Amino acid sequence: MTAPTIPGLENSQPLREPPQRKAKKSLKRLFLAAILVIPNIILLIVFTYRPLIDNIRLSFYNWNISSTRAAKFIGFDNYIEWATDPTSWAIVWQTIIFTFVAVAGSMVLGLGLALLLDRNLKGRNLVRSLVFAPYVISGAAIGVAFQFVFDPGYGLIQDLLGRIGIESPQFYTDPHWALFMITATYVWKNLGYTFVIYLAALQGLRKDLDEAAEIDRTPRARKFFRVTLPQLRPTTFFLSITVLLNSFQVFDIINVMTGGGPLETSTTTMVYQVYQETFVNSRAGYGAAVATIMFLAVLVITVVQVRMQDKEQ
Amino acid sequence: MAFDYQIPAVPQNVGDDVRPVSSAQTAEVKKRKGMIPGESQKSKIWGYIGIVLAGLVIAVPLYFVVITSFKTHGDIYSNPISWIPSPWAPENYSYVWNNLNFSRYMINSIIITLVLVVVKVAFGVLSAYAFAFIKFPGSGILFFLVIGTLMVPNEITIISNYALTAQLGWRDTFTGIIVPLAGTAFGTFLMRNHFRSLPKEILEAATMDGAGFFRTLFKVVLPMSWPTLMAFVMITAVAEWNQYLWPFLVNDTGRAAPLQIGLTQLQDVEGLTNWGPVMAGTVLASIPMVIVFLFFAEVHD
């Protein structure tokens, strides 16, 4: 029996070793590697790659997930229905607004807080921990809690607004305010993530440039745009991708706070639409089509972002 | 499954200044000598106003939630808000704990999180060991296959995974919640990168001494990896404790439901009126991870 040759390893054994022993050793090594790697890889294949392909297949079927009847092949009908339904486009638009505001909001505020808490001020460690705290709490818990925070009758927001003589908006019945509430809650919860990453990046910046700017008495705003921000570009790029992908996939906050409503779909994003169609309306084929469209959108956005980054360098 | 996707980068810098000492010191010295202007009094005051504002925006809602969980029904519906509960109503907690199944959900959450942390850490460390230290045919392709799962968002996997889980009769069970979540791409990636950064000489010495796999792993590799491993454990614990979409789909009767799903059920039962118990449930679902986080921040200081 011949052992597989391993590139780069042929000469690594002592030359005196007889070939059979060498072969036996590399076989043993292969066996060990297989044991270590296979369970994890099998799980990833069965629960990530298999459903990815299966989902694309299902998107061409008419299929009720909770019935035993066989799925019926209908070609591109699900996609055509999606593209011709005005509701889908409203949901796409809501997803874009939510994602854009969530990404921009948490990045700008996270950077602002990082700059503030990077300064040598008393009490900054306490506030640093505080800002990160909501990030370790689940979206479900924060969503439930913020339902009462935003309660127009007895919540925190209406109380604070009342003190300056403003009447609370109807966060649960007004479609625009409902979307605002979801977005604000998301930003509040996830601010800690952008904050921590920016803070770590700020602490790794080149101090000589900073000092040079200080000695030259560069105005602070100018120093920020000309010295600090350009150095943070890789971090900003990393965050723009991860925050975008994460906010694209928000489910928990929407599910507990509004259930996608008011008016049926005012706060429904595409992920929530996948859930609604598949598990509430029992139209799994249609849900799978929406999921596939989303997946392609994510893929395109990521590729474009990476390309843009490559071009810059 | 790609639920790992939302895991944050290692948050080890919270409350922890890693500024290179030397240059910071020279700047300090220059400042003292008047070579460069220090921060003006005015800008310091604005800094403190900013800090206080930021602190309040985070702390006030948290405080509001906690005090509401200790309020009686009448106290909750008072206008303006009462900032200290009167009277205190800890019975909200005993009510959700005993009557609304929260003791059950807490146990479920602990079981699910513990099992997933142990399994993911084991899988992560073992496959990282193979990818970092063992030369075997196809290792490049297999590693790419593992990392590739990070690019697959979970909304595209849930439908088919749900169908499979239902087919296997795993709905409403721990198996159904845990198994599809058990593979780890993030952990493999994190640990492999760390393992490759370890000094090669020490590993070569271990091999020369004839140390086998187990001895190399437990006596040589892991003792040099505690900080990364700790970060891996903490990130996994928080992510799994807060897992929502998948347990929500698999859940049926609440038998195997973790706290986050219990919260949704509590909301359905108590509706939008009985906020005291609902807030108590929210606090119960959040406290364990806040403690883990504080402990982690402490260890890193």
Side-chain angles (χ1 to χ4, degrees), chain B residues 60-111:
Chain B
V60 171
L62 291 177
Y63 175 75
F64 176 70
V65 170
V66 174
I67 54 161
T68 307
S69 74
F70 284 105
K71 284 182 184 175
T72 57
H73 193 265
D75 198 16
I76 288 169
Y77 287 95
S78 75
N79 228 333
I81 290 172
S82 62
W83 291 99
I84 294 166
S86 71
W88 285 82
E91 54 270 23
N92 287 337
Y93 283 87
S94 49
Y95 176 65
V96 290
W97 189 259
N98 297 324
N99 301 15
L100 293 174
N101 250 346
F102 264 58
S103 48
R104 175 80 244 169
Y105 300 141
M106 181 68 86
I107 294 168
N108 292 349
S109 266
I110 292 171
I111 292 173

Side-chain angles (χ1 to χ4, degrees), chain A residues 37-109:
Chain A
V37 168
I38 281 174
N40 193 21
I41 286 190
I42 287 183
L43 279 173
L44 291 173
I45 289 174
V46 173
F47 294 107
T48 306
Y49 289 117
R50 182 200 57 78
L52 169 70
I53 293 160
D54 196 35
N55 184 87
I56 295 170
R57 181 185 67 83
L58 285 171
S59 71
F60 296 106
Y61 283 81
N62 182 357
W63 180 43
N64 181 340
I65 201 165
S66 46
S67 105
T68 45
R69 260 189 309 150
K72 192 173 152 240
F73 184 80
I74 53 167
F76 279 93
D77 281 8
N78 285 325
Y79 291 94
I80 295 167
E81 187 191 334
W82 179 84
T84 51
D85 183 357
T87 313
S88 321
W89 292 102
I91 289 171
V92 168
W93 183 234
Q94 278 151 214
T95 310
I96 291 173
I97 293 178
F98 171 81
T99 309
F100 180 78
V101 177
V103 171
S106 54
M107 285 180 65
V108 170
L109 292 173

Side-chain angles (χ1 to χ4, degrees), chain B:
Chain B
M1 201 181 260
F3 288 101
D4 282 357
Y5 213 81
Q6 309 203 353
I7 287 171
V10 188
Q12 42 192 338
N13 284 319
V14 185
D16 178 23
D17 212 323
V18 291
R19 197 188 287 279
V21 181
S22 58
S23 66
Q25 269 173 353
T26 52
E28 281 306 309
V29 171
K30 280 180 190 163
K31 257 176 212 166
R32 243 182 288 133
K33 289 182 180 163
M35 286 167 72
I36 46 176
E39 264 193 293
S40 68
Q41 205 62 28
K42 209 174 106 193
S43 101
K44 268 225 148 134
I45 290 171
W46 279 111
Y48 280 113
I49 292 175
I51 277 199
V52 170
L53 267 179
L56 285 178
V57 167
I58 306 293
V60 171
L62 291 177
Y63 175 75
F64 176 70
V65 170
V66 174
I67 54 161
T68 307
S69 74
F70 284 105
K71 284 182 184 175
T72 57
H73 193 265
D75 198 16
I76 288 169
Y77 287 95
S78 75
N79 228 333
I81 290 172
S82 62
W83 291 99
I84 294 166
S86 71
W88 285 82
E91 54 270 23
N92 287 337
Y93 283 87
S94 49
Y95 176 65
V96 290
W97 189 259
N98 297 324
N99 301 15
L100 293 174
N101 250 346
F102 264 58
S103 48
R104 175 80 244 169
Y105 300 141
M106 181 68 86
I107 294 168
N108 292 349
S109 266
I110 292 171
I111 292 173
I112 293 168
T113 306
L114 268 183
V115 172
L116 277 172
V117 166
V118 169
V119 171
K120 282 191 160 180
V121 168
F123 281 168
V125 167
L126 295 180
S127 27
Y129 184 97
F131 287 125
F133 301 133
I134 305 175
K135 287 190 179 160
F136 61 98
S139 74
I141 296 167
L142 287 180
F143 186 66
F144 186 76
L145 202 66
V146 170
I147 298 309
T149 61
L150 289 174
M151 283 305 296
V152 183
N154 55 24
E155 71 272 357
I156 201 165
T157 60
I158 50 169
I159 298 174
S160 175
N161 277 339
Y162 178 84
L164 179 66
T165 307
Q167 237 172 45
L168 292 167
W170 286 357
R171 278 182 61 200
D172 215 26
T173 64
F174 288 121
T175 319
I177 294 176
I178 291 171
V179 173
L181 295 174
T184 177
F186 165 77
T188 308
F189 185 62
L190 181 77
M191 293 317 291
R192 184 200 80 131
N193 282 4
H194 172 73
F195 287 167
R196 294 186 88 173
S197 74
L198 295 176
K200 275 212 169 68
E201 300 76 33
I202 299 179
L203 287 157
E204 274 164 17
T207 319
M208 296 282 253
D209 287 349
F213 162 70
F214 284 103
R215 249 182 69 201
T216 315
L217 179 64
F218 287 105
K219 295 275 151 116
V220 183
V221 173
L222 286 184
M224 293 192 286
S225 309
W226 289 128
T228 312
L229 203 63
M230 270 292 275
F232 180 19
V233 168
M234 291 294 166
I235 291 169
T236 311
V238 172
E240 302 312 330
W241 184 272
N242 292 339
Q243 198 73 252
Y244 185 77
L245 177 55
W246 183 246
F248 174 73
L249 292 177
V250 177
N251 171 57
D252 216 1
T253 62
R255 201 151 69 84
L259 279 163
Q260 316 307 334
I261 311 308
L263 266 184
T264 318
Q265 300 210 323
L266 168 65
Q267 214 187 5
D268 291 343
V269 175
E270 294 299 319
L272 298 178
T273 47
N274 204 0
W275 284 110
V278 174
M279 291 296 159
T282 310
V283 172
L284 281 175
S286 314
I287 281 290
M289 285 308 114
V290 173
I291 292 171
V292 164
F293 159 64
L294 290 177
F295 169 75
F296 189 52
E298 197 63 27
V299 168
H300 264 275
D301 279 344

Side-chain angles (χ1 to χ4, degrees), chain A residues 23-288:
Chain A
K24 212 172 148 194
K25 247 189 171 170
S26 69
L27 205 66
K28 220 176 123 187
R29 190 164 35 217
L30 184 67
F31 185 65
L32 175 65
I35 290 181
L36 296 182
V37 168
I38 281 174
N40 193 21
I41 286 190
I42 287 183
L43 279 173
L44 291 173
I45 289 174
V46 173
F47 294 107
T48 306
Y49 289 117
R50 182 200 57 78
L52 169 70
I53 293 160
D54 196 35
N55 184 87
I56 295 170
R57 181 185 67 83
L58 285 171
S59 71
F60 296 106
Y61 283 81
N62 182 357
W63 180 43
N64 181 340
I65 201 165
S66 46
S67 105
T68 45
R69 260 189 309 150
K72 192 173 152 240
F73 184 80
I74 53 167
F76 279 93
D77 281 8
N78 285 325
Y79 291 94
I80 295 167
E81 187 191 334
W82 179 84
T84 51
D85 183 357
T87 313
S88 321
W89 292 102
I91 289 171
V92 168
W93 183 234
Q94 278 151 214
T95 310
I96 291 173
I97 293 178
F98 171 81
T99 309
F100 180 78
V101 177
V103 171
S106 54
M107 285 180 65
V108 170
L109 292 173
L111 176 58
L113 278 174
L115 286 167
L116 180 69
L117 293 168
D118 189 38
R119 290 170 59 184
N120 195 9
L121 299 168
K122 283 195 191 77
R124 67 174 179 183
N125 282 352
L126 177 73
V127 181
R128 278 180 188 179
S129 302
L130 208 53
V131 171
F132 193 72
Y135 191 69
V136 302
I137 301 175
S138 76
I142 285 180
V144 170
F146 271 49
Q147 261 196 310
F148 190 50
V149 169
F150 279 103
D151 188 281
Y154 300 93
L156 175 66
I157 305 286
Q158 64 83 29
D159 185 87
L160 297 177
L161 287 176
R163 281 161 207 268
I164 48 173
I166 300 173
E167 204 180 318
S168 169
Q170 292 299 316
F171 289 109
Y172 288 96
T173 47
D174 183 307
H176 296 293
W177 281 112
L179 192 60
F180 169 85
M181 170 178 76
I182 297 283
T183 317
T185 306
Y186 181 83
V187 171
W188 187 87
K189 173 183 163 21
N190 289 286
L191 199 51
Y193 174 67
T194 49
F195 161 70
V196 163
I197 306 277
Y198 266 130
L199 186 66
L202 281 176
Q203 292 175 346
L205 290 189
R206 289 177 54 188
K207 287 294 167 298
D208 51 339
L209 290 179
D210 227 45
E211 280 175 35
E214 267 189 62
I215 291 168
D216 290 345
R217 293 172 195 250
T218 314
R220 189 174 282 170
R222 201 181 145 117
K223 190 184 122 194
F224 171 72
F225 285 110
R226 293 291 177 81
V227 180
T228 313
L229 209 52
Q231 289 188 82
L232 289 175
R233 195 165 286 160
T235 311
T236 304
F237 170 70
F238 168 77
L239 282 176
S240 68
I241 288 192
T242 52
V243 178
L244 187 107
L245 293 183
N246 285 344
S247 57
F248 221 56
Q249 298 180 44
V250 172
F251 176 79
D252 43 14
I253 290 179
I254 296 175
N255 194 41
V256 298
M257 285 188 92
T258 61
L263 310 180
E264 305 274 316
T265 57
S266 310
T267 58
T268 300
T269 59
M270 287 179 80
V271 168
Y272 206 73
Q273 188 186 17
V274 172
Y275 160 74
Q276 283 275 346
E277 293 293 353
T278 309
F279 297 99
V280 180
N281 302 342
S282 293
R283 302 179 64 209
Y286 189 66

